[in-house]
PDB file of all heavy atoms in Angstrom:
ATOM      1  N   TRP A  81     -23.062 -17.571   2.462  1.00  0.00           N
ATOM      2  CA  TRP A  81     -24.336 -18.027   3.019  1.00  0.00           C
ATOM      3  C   TRP A  81     -25.324 -18.350   1.919  1.00  0.00           C
ATOM      4  O   TRP A  81     -26.090 -19.311   1.997  1.00  0.00           O
ATOM      5  CB  TRP A  81     -24.928 -16.994   3.990  1.00  0.00           C
ATOM      6  CG  TRP A  81     -24.091 -16.860   5.214  1.00  0.00           C
ATOM      7  CD1 TRP A  81     -23.502 -15.739   5.693  1.00  0.00           C
ATOM      8  CD2 TRP A  81     -23.720 -17.922   6.110  1.00  0.00           C
ATOM      9  NE1 TRP A  81     -22.768 -16.016   6.820  1.00  0.00           N
ATOM     10  CE2 TRP A  81     -22.887 -17.341   7.100  1.00  0.00           C
ATOM     11  CE3 TRP A  81     -23.988 -19.285   6.175  1.00  0.00           C
ATOM     12  CZ2 TRP A  81     -22.333 -18.096   8.141  1.00  0.00           C
ATOM     13  CZ3 TRP A  81     -23.442 -20.040   7.203  1.00  0.00           C
ATOM     14  CH2 TRP A  81     -22.628 -19.440   8.162  1.00  0.00           C
ATOM     15  N   SER A  82     -25.296 -17.509   0.901  1.00  0.00           N
ATOM     16  CA  SER A  82     -26.176 -17.764  -0.226  1.00  0.00           C
ATOM     17  C   SER A  82     -25.814 -19.102  -0.875  1.00  0.00           C
ATOM     18  O   SER A  82     -26.681 -19.899  -1.262  1.00  0.00           O
ATOM     19  CB  SER A  82     -26.049 -16.601  -1.208  1.00  0.00           C
ATOM     20  OG  SER A  82     -26.400 -16.990  -2.492  1.00  0.00           O
ATOM     21  N   PHE A  83     -24.532 -19.351  -0.966  1.00  0.00           N
ATOM     22  CA  PHE A  83     -24.059 -20.615  -1.530  1.00  0.00           C
ATOM     23  C   PHE A  83     -24.434 -21.788  -0.626  1.00  0.00           C
ATOM     24  O   PHE A  83     -24.858 -22.843  -1.102  1.00  0.00           O
ATOM     25  CB  PHE A  83     -22.541 -20.541  -1.716  1.00  0.00           C
ATOM     26  CG  PHE A  83     -21.930 -21.802  -2.251  1.00  0.00           C
ATOM     27  CD1 PHE A  83     -22.148 -22.213  -3.557  1.00  0.00           C
ATOM     28  CD2 PHE A  83     -21.118 -22.584  -1.428  1.00  0.00           C
ATOM     29  CE1 PHE A  83     -21.571 -23.379  -4.054  1.00  0.00           C
ATOM     30  CE2 PHE A  83     -20.546 -23.751  -1.918  1.00  0.00           C
ATOM     31  CZ  PHE A  83     -20.769 -24.145  -3.234  1.00  0.00           C
ATOM     32  N   THR A  84     -24.320 -21.593   0.665  1.00  0.00           N
ATOM     33  CA  THR A  84     -24.664 -22.648   1.617  1.00  0.00           C
ATOM     34  C   THR A  84     -26.155 -22.984   1.539  1.00  0.00           C
ATOM     35  O   THR A  84     -26.552 -24.145   1.566  1.00  0.00           O
ATOM     36  CB  THR A  84     -24.308 -22.203   3.046  1.00  0.00           C
ATOM     37  OG1 THR A  84     -22.925 -21.883   3.092  1.00  0.00           O
ATOM     38  CG2 THR A  84     -24.608 -23.311   4.047  1.00  0.00           C
ATOM     39  N   GLU A  85     -26.973 -21.961   1.425  1.00  0.00           N
ATOM     40  CA  GLU A  85     -28.398 -22.199   1.301  1.00  0.00           C
ATOM     41  C   GLU A  85     -28.702 -23.018   0.051  1.00  0.00           C
ATOM     42  O   GLU A  85     -29.533 -23.934   0.059  1.00  0.00           O
ATOM     43  CB  GLU A  85     -29.148 -20.867   1.251  1.00  0.00           C
ATOM     44  CG  GLU A  85     -30.607 -21.023   1.619  1.00  0.00           C
ATOM     45  CD  GLU A  85     -31.351 -19.706   1.520  1.00  0.00           C
ATOM     46  OE1 GLU A  85     -30.680 -18.661   1.366  1.00  0.00           O
ATOM     47  OE2 GLU A  85     -32.586 -19.727   1.570  1.00  0.00           O
ATOM     48  N   TYR A  86     -27.967 -22.681  -0.982  1.00  0.00           N
ATOM     49  CA  TYR A  86     -28.127 -23.414  -2.227  1.00  0.00           C
ATOM     50  C   TYR A  86     -27.743 -24.891  -2.057  1.00  0.00           C
ATOM     51  O   TYR A  86     -28.450 -25.790  -2.515  1.00  0.00           O
ATOM     52  CB  TYR A  86     -27.253 -22.738  -3.284  1.00  0.00           C
ATOM     53  CG  TYR A  86     -27.157 -23.490  -4.575  1.00  0.00           C
ATOM     54  CD1 TYR A  86     -28.142 -23.349  -5.552  1.00  0.00           C
ATOM     55  CD2 TYR A  86     -26.080 -24.320  -4.817  1.00  0.00           C
ATOM     56  CE1 TYR A  86     -28.050 -24.044  -6.740  1.00  0.00           C
ATOM     57  CE2 TYR A  86     -25.983 -25.025  -6.014  1.00  0.00           C
ATOM     58  CZ  TYR A  86     -26.968 -24.887  -6.970  1.00  0.00           C
ATOM     59  OH  TYR A  86     -26.885 -25.567  -8.144  1.00  0.00           O
ATOM     60  N   ARG A  87     -26.642 -25.123  -1.379  1.00  0.00           N
ATOM     61  CA  ARG A  87     -26.253 -26.515  -1.126  1.00  0.00           C
ATOM     62  C   ARG A  87     -27.298 -27.217  -0.279  1.00  0.00           C
ATOM     63  O   ARG A  87     -27.575 -28.398  -0.454  1.00  0.00           O
ATOM     64  CB  ARG A  87     -24.891 -26.566  -0.416  1.00  0.00           C
ATOM     65  CG  ARG A  87     -23.718 -26.162  -1.322  1.00  0.00           C
ATOM     66  CD  ARG A  87     -22.410 -26.737  -0.779  1.00  0.00           C
ATOM     67  NE  ARG A  87     -22.148 -26.289   0.569  1.00  0.00           N
ATOM     68  CZ  ARG A  87     -21.597 -27.039   1.511  1.00  0.00           C
ATOM     69  NH1 ARG A  87     -21.275 -28.301   1.266  1.00  0.00           N
ATOM     70  NH2 ARG A  87     -21.373 -26.535   2.709  1.00  0.00           N
ATOM     71  N   LEU A  88     -27.881 -26.473   0.662  1.00  0.00           N
ATOM     72  CA  LEU A  88     -28.919 -27.046   1.506  1.00  0.00           C
ATOM     73  C   LEU A  88     -30.095 -27.541   0.677  1.00  0.00           C
ATOM     74  O   LEU A  88     -30.611 -28.646   0.900  1.00  0.00           O
ATOM     75  CB  LEU A  88     -29.390 -25.996   2.533  1.00  0.00           C
ATOM     76  CG  LEU A  88     -30.362 -26.481   3.594  1.00  0.00           C
ATOM     77  CD1 LEU A  88     -29.706 -27.482   4.528  1.00  0.00           C
ATOM     78  CD2 LEU A  88     -30.941 -25.316   4.403  1.00  0.00           C
ATOM     79  N   GLU A  89     -30.516 -26.734  -0.278  1.00  0.00           N
ATOM     80  CA  GLU A  89     -31.623 -27.147  -1.145  1.00  0.00           C
ATOM     81  C   GLU A  89     -31.337 -28.518  -1.750  1.00  0.00           C
ATOM     82  O   GLU A  89     -32.182 -29.406  -1.759  1.00  0.00           O
ATOM     83  CB  GLU A  89     -31.832 -26.147  -2.287  1.00  0.00           C
ATOM     84  CG  GLU A  89     -32.274 -24.767  -1.866  1.00  0.00           C
ATOM     85  CD  GLU A  89     -33.492 -24.796  -0.964  1.00  0.00           C
ATOM     86  OE1 GLU A  89     -34.402 -25.636  -1.180  1.00  0.00           O
ATOM     87  OE2 GLU A  89     -33.530 -23.986  -0.007  1.00  0.00           O
ATOM     88  N   PHE A  90     -30.129 -28.662  -2.264  1.00  0.00           N
ATOM     89  CA  PHE A  90     -29.757 -29.935  -2.887  1.00  0.00           C
ATOM     90  C   PHE A  90     -29.746 -31.085  -1.897  1.00  0.00           C
ATOM     91  O   PHE A  90     -30.185 -32.185  -2.208  1.00  0.00           O
ATOM     92  CB  PHE A  90     -28.382 -29.797  -3.542  1.00  0.00           C
ATOM     93  CG  PHE A  90     -28.488 -29.526  -4.996  1.00  0.00           C
ATOM     94  CD1 PHE A  90     -28.836 -28.257  -5.447  1.00  0.00           C
ATOM     95  CD2 PHE A  90     -28.280 -30.524  -5.926  1.00  0.00           C
ATOM     96  CE1 PHE A  90     -28.961 -27.993  -6.802  1.00  0.00           C
ATOM     97  CE2 PHE A  90     -28.403 -30.279  -7.281  1.00  0.00           C
ATOM     98  CZ  PHE A  90     -28.751 -29.003  -7.723  1.00  0.00           C
ATOM     99  N   THR A  91     -29.235 -30.786  -0.724  1.00  0.00           N
ATOM    100  CA  THR A  91     -29.130 -31.837   0.289  1.00  0.00           C
ATOM    101  C   THR A  91     -30.509 -32.329   0.719  1.00  0.00           C
ATOM    102  O   THR A  91     -30.697 -33.502   1.038  1.00  0.00           O
ATOM    103  CB  THR A  91     -28.376 -31.297   1.513  1.00  0.00           C
ATOM    104  OG1 THR A  91     -27.078 -30.911   1.099  1.00  0.00           O
ATOM    105  CG2 THR A  91     -28.256 -32.357   2.602  1.00  0.00           C
ATOM    106  N   LEU A  92     -31.474 -31.425   0.744  1.00  0.00           N
ATOM    107  CA  LEU A  92     -32.800 -31.790   1.235  1.00  0.00           C
ATOM    108  C   LEU A  92     -33.741 -32.262   0.127  1.00  0.00           C
ATOM    109  O   LEU A  92     -34.815 -32.829   0.412  1.00  0.00           O
ATOM    110  CB  LEU A  92     -33.434 -30.603   1.957  1.00  0.00           C
ATOM    111  CG  LEU A  92     -32.648 -30.061   3.154  1.00  0.00           C
ATOM    112  CD1 LEU A  92     -33.438 -28.965   3.851  1.00  0.00           C
ATOM    113  CD2 LEU A  92     -32.308 -31.177   4.130  1.00  0.00           C
ATOM    114  N   ALA A  93     -33.320 -32.052  -1.090  1.00  0.00           N
ATOM    115  CA  ALA A  93     -34.219 -32.390  -2.206  1.00  0.00           C
ATOM    116  C   ALA A  93     -34.637 -33.853  -2.159  1.00  0.00           C
ATOM    117  O   ALA A  93     -33.804 -34.747  -1.996  1.00  0.00           O
ATOM    118  CB  ALA A  93     -33.529 -32.083  -3.539  1.00  0.00           C
TER     119      ALA A  93
END
Side-chain angles (χ1 to χ4, degrees):
Chain A
W81 293 122
S82 156
F83 178 70
T84 303
E85 201 182 349
Y86 172 84
R87 289 202 302 143
L88 187 67
E89 295 308 322
F90 262 76
T91 299
L92 301 185

